[in-house]
């Protein structure tokens, strides 16, 4: 009888202990979760703060960059370099960059700007060479027999992504005589070409490759670099 | 209507052609318009207003009152355009 | 005869343009065409004024070049040859006239849109017919 | 101030004016009016009135055409005469 | 509709790149009206043209966020006010109306220079007024009298 009571008592005591342990672990868990939540919340807040700071920093960089470009343009236009006109220029550039700082650099990628500018300047002579070539071709078409002229609209999908490279390619195509960009819809170009040769030249995709190389977009940029390295390896062997 | 227009145009054209007789030749430096006040403007503008562009000097300085009237006319035209065309907005009007 | 026409050809152009504008304003039925005629007439009058101020024989635009300005700054007053600059007065008068003409064109276009909103047409005859039927 | 050039531009101006009032499509008429303004601007540059030409190039050929196009866009495009 | 956002990538990108240069050119034309062709009227019209380009390519609500109607009205009447105010300032200083020579003791420069500066101030006023009036007329004509964001949908529904 007493033994059973004792056993019963110990059993109950163990159960109570067990419950207490369980509850304490629950409480501990909850506390830990709570701290974790607050931590993550605080982290998020700090991140947001940093993000806001980055946002303002990006905006400040845009503002200053727009201001500098505008001021260079003003100095190029003005031609009067005394104190009065320079201060007028500063005021005007401040006004313009305050009004439209988010237009000139809508989605900037910092760091590689200089590379893009350098490559773009190197691209211009090639473009002029192409324009001269197709000029001669169109002149021959105009003077030659009529059957060579086969106007048609060609359609190709591009691998370019950013809108500035799309516009650069479209304007390069339009600047070259014989081809005109009609429309761009969802990365598909609709181009009017005046003859077969012009269309074939366009479909080789060399111009697109060069534009992609300028704006550092597609994979073949690296392929080109590798191709440049290949003859050196051959020489080493 | 076309006939009336043609008659009106011909009559006006005839009058204008008749008046061409009395106008000076094209590009005549001694025409009455070029000898009355404009020589003074050309001679005085740079010295008295420090403005090399004579047109700007005459526009804003010698005839500034005239230009103010023109600006007021443009302002009035803008207000007139708004008053003619602006609809009353829903919810705000009473 | 040819010399007579050539010596005053800008005035002939002015007469022809005024005729075209007047014809469009009276004879054409469409209201936008009437406005275009009004614009042509305004330009013709401005052409008349500007060509009165033109000068033959090496006259340039009425802007002093950099040398004259520098000379003025150093206190040297050179005699300015009037015959070598175009008469600036008609330019001043016409410059404001152009801007005022565009403002009045804006008011006219506003009235045009109002007319279209009410009568659903821009033809003069149809508008008059609608008004007559309405008994106005 | 070359009078041959002036004569040619005057001819262009008259052709543009006649075309502007005779075209049935109002949008085309408005664009031709812009071309008319531009030829007028060339004529005035040739006569030495650079300020007036500048004003006409920005006002007549620029904002005026835009205003006309906006108005035609809100009303009817076809015209009977 | 001319006041909807355009969906052409070429037009949008190029106008985005061009509009700041147009604006700085317009301000240059206003500020250098003394030395080269130009002045308040032309510069104001070019400035208005840049805003009109913004309306055509980026839509009305995008533009009104930059330049709302209240600012437009303030600039419209402020330009005329600047012009008349300079004239009245000359009147107060003892000269005739718009006699800029009387401004020379106030500005601390010679008489000719004071007249030049007076011309500049007047040109700024004219440019502001012309710009605001041109933008206002265009918005009224293009939207048919409802140039505000909440009213846009109603107009397009009326038109259909």
């Amino acid at each position: 009888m007493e033994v059973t009571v004792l056993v019963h008592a110990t059993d109950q005591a163990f159960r109570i202990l067990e419950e207490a342990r369980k509850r304490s672990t629950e409480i501990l868990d909850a506390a830990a979760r709570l701290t974790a939540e607050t931590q993550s919340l605080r982290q998020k807040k700090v991140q947001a703060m940093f993000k806001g700071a980055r946002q303002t920093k990006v905006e400040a960089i845009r503002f200053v960059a727009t201001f500098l470009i505008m001021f260079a343009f003003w100095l190029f236009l003005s031609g009067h370099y005394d104190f009065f006109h320079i201060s007028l220029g500063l005021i005007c550039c401040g006004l313009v960059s305050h009004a439209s700082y988010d237009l000139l650099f809508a989605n900037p990628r910092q760091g590689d700007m200089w590379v893009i500018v350098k490559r773009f300047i190197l691209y211009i002579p090639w473009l002029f060479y192409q324009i001269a070539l197709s000029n001669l071709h169109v002149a021959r078409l105009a003077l030659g027999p009529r059957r060579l002229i086969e106007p048609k609209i060609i359609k190709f999908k591009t691998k370019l992504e950013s809108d500035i490279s799309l516009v650069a390619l479209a304007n390069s195509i339009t600047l070259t005589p014989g081809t005109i960009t009609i429309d761009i819809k969802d990365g598909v170009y609709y181009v009017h070409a005046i003859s077969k040769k012009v269309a074939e030249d366009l479909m080789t995709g060399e111009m697109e490759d060069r534009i992609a190389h300028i704006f550092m977009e597609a994979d073949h940029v690296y392929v080109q670099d590798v191709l440049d390295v290949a003859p050196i390896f051959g020489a080493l062997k | 209507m076309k006939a009336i227009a043609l008659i009106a145009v011909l009559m006006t054209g005839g009058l204008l052609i008749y008046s061409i007789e009395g106008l000076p030749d094209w590009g005549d430096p001694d025409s009455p318009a070029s000898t009355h006040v404009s020589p003074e403007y050309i001679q005085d503008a740079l010295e008295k207003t420090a403005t090399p562009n004579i047109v700007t000097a005459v526009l804003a300085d010698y005839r500034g009152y005239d230009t103010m009237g023109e600006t007021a006319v443009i302002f009035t035209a803008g207000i007139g355009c708004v008053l003619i065309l602006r609809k009353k907005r829903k919810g705000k009007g009473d | 005869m040819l010399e007579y026409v050539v010596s005053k050809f800008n005035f002939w152009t002015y007469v022809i343009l005024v005729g075209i504008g007047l014809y469009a304003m009276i004879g054409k039925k469409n209201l936008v065409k009437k406005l275009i005629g009004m614009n042509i007439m305004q330009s013709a009058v401005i052409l008349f004024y500007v060509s009165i101020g033109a000068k033959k024989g090496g006259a340039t635009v009425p802007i002093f070049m950099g040398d004259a300005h520098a000379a003025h700054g150093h206190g040297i007053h050179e005699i300015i040859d009037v015959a070598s600059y175009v008469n600036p007065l008609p330019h001043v008068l016409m410059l404001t006239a152009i801007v005022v003409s565009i403002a009045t064109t804006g008011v006219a276009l506003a009235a045009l849109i109002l007319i279209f909103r009410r009568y659903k047409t821009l033809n003069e005859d149809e508008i008059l017919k609608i008004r007559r039927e309405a008994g106005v | 101030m070359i009078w041959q050039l002036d004569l040619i531009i005057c001819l262009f101006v008259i052709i543009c004016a006649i075309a502007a009032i005779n075209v049935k499509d109002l949008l085309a008429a408005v664009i031709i009016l812009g071309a008319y303004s531009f030829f007028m601007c060339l004529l005035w540059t040739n006569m030495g009135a650079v300020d007036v030409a500048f004003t006409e190039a920005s006002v007549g050929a620029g904002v005026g055409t835009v205003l006309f196009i906006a108005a035609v866009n809100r009303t009817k495009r076809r015209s009977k005469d | 509709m001319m006041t909807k956002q355009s969906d052409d990538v070429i037009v949008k990108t190029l106008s985005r790149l061009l509009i700041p240069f147009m604006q700085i050119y317009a301000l240059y034309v206003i500020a250098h009206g003394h030395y080269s062709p130009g002045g308040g009227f032309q510069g104001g019209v070019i400035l208005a043209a840049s805003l009109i380009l913004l309306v055509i390519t980026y839509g009305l609500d995008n533009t009104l966020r930059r330049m709302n109607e209240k600012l437009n009205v303030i600039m419209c009447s402020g330009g005329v006010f600047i012009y008349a105010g300079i004239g009245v300032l000359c009147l107060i200083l003892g000269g005739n109306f718009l006699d800029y020579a009387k401004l020379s003791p106030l500005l601390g420069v010679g008489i000719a220079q004071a007249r030049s500066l007076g011309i500049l101030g007047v040109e700024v006023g004219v440019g502001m007024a012309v710009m605001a009036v041109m933008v206002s007329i265009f918005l009224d004509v293009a939207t048919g009298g409802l140039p505000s964001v909440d009213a846009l949908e109603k107009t397009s529904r009326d038109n259909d």
Side-chain angles (χ1 to χ4, degrees):
Chain A
M1 174 67 189
E2 279 155 3
V3 173
T4 49
V5 167
L6 203 66
V7 168
H8 196 74
T10 43
D11 197 27
Q12 212 152 20
F14 270 116
R15 202 175 298 144
I16 287 168
L17 268 176
E18 188 75 11
E19 251 175 39
R21 200 181 59 85
K22 217 179 270 177
R23 197 166 295 168
S24 67
T25 46
E26 264 175 19
I27 288 170
L28 273 175
D29 274 357
R33 207 180 307 131
L34 214 74
T35 48
E37 260 176 17
T38 51
Q39 219 163 23
S40 75
L41 251 177
R42 194 183 296 148
Q43 236 168 20
K44 262 183 199 165
K45 203 183 277 177
V46 168
Q47 263 176 2
M49 241 161 71
F50 270 108
K51 203 173 175 185
R54 205 181 301 139
Q55 194 69 30
T56 36
K57 196 185 156 205
V58 166
E59 278 186 3
I61 287 174
R62 277 168 162 186
F63 184 88
V64 170
T66 313
F67 186 87
L68 288 179
I69 291 174
M70 289 299 119
F71 195 63
F73 189 57
W74 176 279
L75 290 181
F76 167 70
L77 283 174
S78 166
H80 293 269
Y81 302 118
D82 48 9
F83 174 71
F84 180 66
H85 288 95
I86 296 276
S87 57
L88 265 183
L90 287 175
I91 294 171
C92 292
C93 294
L95 276 175
V96 169
S97 30
H98 172 72
S100 50
Y101 64 91
D102 51 344
L103 285 176
L104 203 54
F105 297 100
N107 34 11
R109 285 183 303 172
Q110 294 154 25
D112 44 10
M113 208 55 123
W114 289 114
V115 184
I116 288 177
V117 169
K118 206 176 74 190
R119 285 181 177 177
F120 191 75
I121 290 170
L122 286 176
Y123 167 70
I124 290 173
W126 182 82
L127 182 66
F128 276 141
Y129 177 62
Q130 290 297 313
I131 289 174
L133 275 187
S134 51
N135 241 326
L136 286 176
H137 176 68
V138 171
R140 207 176 301 139
L141 277 182
L143 295 174
R146 205 178 162 73
R147 64 186 157 74
L148 287 176
I149 302 175
E150 310 169 359
K152 59 180 169 185
I153 290 176
I154 55 179
K155 184 177 132 180
F156 63 92
K157 190 157 175 57
T158 180
K159 56 196 160 195
L160 303 174
E161 283 158 4
S162 69
D163 49 355
I164 187 99
S165 53
L166 286 174
V167 169
L169 179 56
N171 278 327
S172 301
I173 289 173
T174 306
L175 267 177
T176 326
T179 47
I180 289 174
T181 311
I182 300 169
D183 203 358
I184 306 174
K185 276 234 171 79
D186 306 326
V188 177
Y189 277 73
Y190 298 86
V191 178
H192 176 269
I194 195 170
S195 77
K196 209 172 175 184
K197 179 181 173 289
V198 175
E200 279 167 3
D201 281 358
L202 189 62
M203 291 306 271
T204 57
E206 193 190 354
M207 189 178 267
E208 194 182 349
D209 286 353
R210 283 183 184 256
I211 296 278
H213 179 63
I214 291 173
F215 294 102
M216 291 187 271
E217 286 206 338
D219 325 321
H220 59 272
V221 175
Y222 308 109
V223 172
Q224 254 184 3
D225 289 347
V226 168
L227 279 181
D228 286 340
V229 173
I232 303 173
F233 270 107
L236 281 177
K237 274 177 187 171
Chain B
M1 203 61 180
K2 292 244 162 93
I4 297 173
L6 219 55
I7 291 169
V9 166
L10 286 180
M11 281 175 66
T12 317
L15 280 174
L16 288 175
I17 289 169
Y18 175 67
S19 76
I20 281 179
E21 201 69 24
L23 289 171
D25 280 359
W26 177 70
D28 184 12
D30 298 323
S31 67
S34 303
T35 50
H36 187 49
V37 283
S38 70
E40 290 175 26
Y41 285 152
I42 293 175
Q43 270 165 350
D44 287 356
L46 182 58
E47 193 183 332
K48 291 199 174 153
T49 65
T51 305
N53 189 348
I54 308 171
V55 174
T56 306
V58 179
L59 180 82
D61 192 324
Y62 290 100
R63 291 183 172 265
Y65 197 64
D66 192 353
T67 312
M68 199 188 92
E70 307 275 5
T71 315
V73 168
I74 295 166
F75 179 62
T76 318
I79 291 177
C81 198
V82 169
L83 288 183
I84 288 175
L85 217 50
R86 190 65 56 98
K87 282 180 196 164
K88 204 176 277 182
R89 216 179 295 168
K90 254 186 189 174
K92 278 201 174 178
D94 41 339
Chain C
M1 182 60 196
L2 185 68
E3 189 157 326
Y4 178 71
V5 170
V6 163
S7 71
K8 293 178 180 178
F9 69 89
N10 53 334
F11 298 123
W12 287 96
T13 316
Y14 149 70
V15 169
I16 295 168
L17 287 178
V18 166
I20 293 169
L22 201 62
Y23 178 76
M25 282 187 80
I26 299 172
K28 293 287 173 183
K29 293 281 185 271
N30 193 296
L31 293 179
V32 178
K33 282 282 172 66
K34 281 179 193 273
L35 263 182
I36 288 174
M38 193 181 91
N39 265 339
I40 289 174
M41 235 168 118
Q42 278 170 341
S43 298
V45 173
I46 293 166
L47 170 66
F48 173 68
Y49 268 80
V50 169
S51 61
I52 274 182
K55 280 181 193 167
K56 234 185 251 173
T60 57
V61 297
I63 297 171
F64 296 111
M65 282 303 129
D67 308 344
H69 192 54
H72 173 73
H74 293 105
I76 307 160
H77 295 286
E78 45 185 318
I79 304 297
I80 294 161
D81 185 18
V82 174
S84 65
Y85 291 103
V86 182
N87 186 2
L89 197 53
H91 301 183
V92 174
L93 301 176
M94 288 309 110
L95 199 148
T96 51
I98 291 175
V99 184
V100 169
S101 88
I102 198 66
T104 52
T105 306
V107 176
L109 288 173
L112 203 96
I113 288 174
L114 210 63
I115 289 170
F116 184 78
R117 203 181 279 163
R118 182 152 173 191
Y119 295 105
K120 299 290 174 204
T121 176
L122 283 180
N123 197 316
E124 194 189 15
D125 288 344
E126 292 174 15
I127 291 171
L128 287 177
K129 204 175 125 203
I130 293 171
R131 284 177 66 85
R132 216 176 295 127
E133 280 170 1
V136 181
Chain D
M1 292 289 271
I2 311 157
W3 69 265
Q4 292 92 341
L5 191 60
D6 271 9
L7 205 57
I8 295 168
I9 296 174
C10 279
L11 219 62
F12 274 132
V13 163
I14 292 170
I15 291 168
C16 280
I18 292 173
I21 67 164
N22 275 328
V23 174
K24 295 259 194 304
D25 190 351
L26 284 180
L27 200 59
V30 169
I31 298 296
I32 294 171
L33 189 70
Y36 165 87
S37 281
F38 188 71
F39 278 122
M40 215 56 159
C41 156
L42 283 183
L43 191 57
W44 292 334
T45 315
N46 207 19
M47 284 181 184
V50 273
D51 278 270
V52 186
F54 192 9
T55 318
E56 177 75 16
S58 58
V59 171
V63 175
T65 311
V66 170
L67 285 183
F68 264 111
I69 289 174
V72 169
N73 204 4
R74 285 210 68 85
T75 57
K76 237 196 257 172
R77 187 171 160 184
R78 305 296 305 180
S79 140
K80 275 180 190 159
D81 51 350
Chain E
M1 288 290 288
M2 291 182 83
T3 49
K4 288 273 170 58
Q5 190 160 3
S6 156
D7 56 350
D8 195 337
V9 64
I10 302 174
V11 171
K12 272 176 82 172
T13 310
L14 280 183
S15 62
R16 172 168 75 78
L17 295 180
L18 273 180
I19 283 169
F21 288 98
M22 281 173 77
Q23 285 171 345
I24 203 80
Y25 182 68
L27 292 177
Y28 156 78
V29 165
I30 293 179
H32 288 246
H34 297 66
Y35 306 99
S36 51
F41 288 106
Q42 294 95 327
V45 169
I46 295 173
L47 210 55
S50 80
L51 285 173
I52 288 172
L53 184 60
L54 200 63
V55 174
I56 292 174
T57 53
Y58 275 82
L60 186 59
D61 44 350
N62 248 330
T63 311
L64 286 182
R65 210 171 297 137
R66 271 164 225 280
M67 173 154 188
N68 50 12
E69 285 210 278
K70 206 173 276 179
L71 185 65
N72 207 350
V73 170
I74 287 172
M75 285 182 86
C76 185
S77 44
V80 184
F81 179 75
I82 286 175
Y83 204 136
I86 288 173
V88 171
L89 197 62
C90 302
L91 208 61
I92 291 171
L93 289 174
N96 292 323
F97 191 65
L98 288 172
D99 182 8
Y100 310 131
K102 290 290 183 295
L103 292 173
S104 70
L106 196 70
L107 297 167
V109 287
I111 286 180
Q113 217 56 38
R115 286 174 83 162
S116 174
L117 285 175
I119 291 173
L120 182 64
V122 162
E123 299 271 12
V124 169
V126 170
M128 277 169 66
V130 168
M131 187 269 274
V133 168
M134 288 299 156
V135 170
S136 148
I137 289 179
F138 173 75
L139 287 184
D140 272 338
V141 170
T143 62
L146 288 170
S148 64
V149 182
D150 52 348
L152 256 186
E153 296 139 23
K154 192 179 165 299
T155 348
S156 55
R157 209 172 54 235
D158 279 356
N159 250 21
D160 294 338

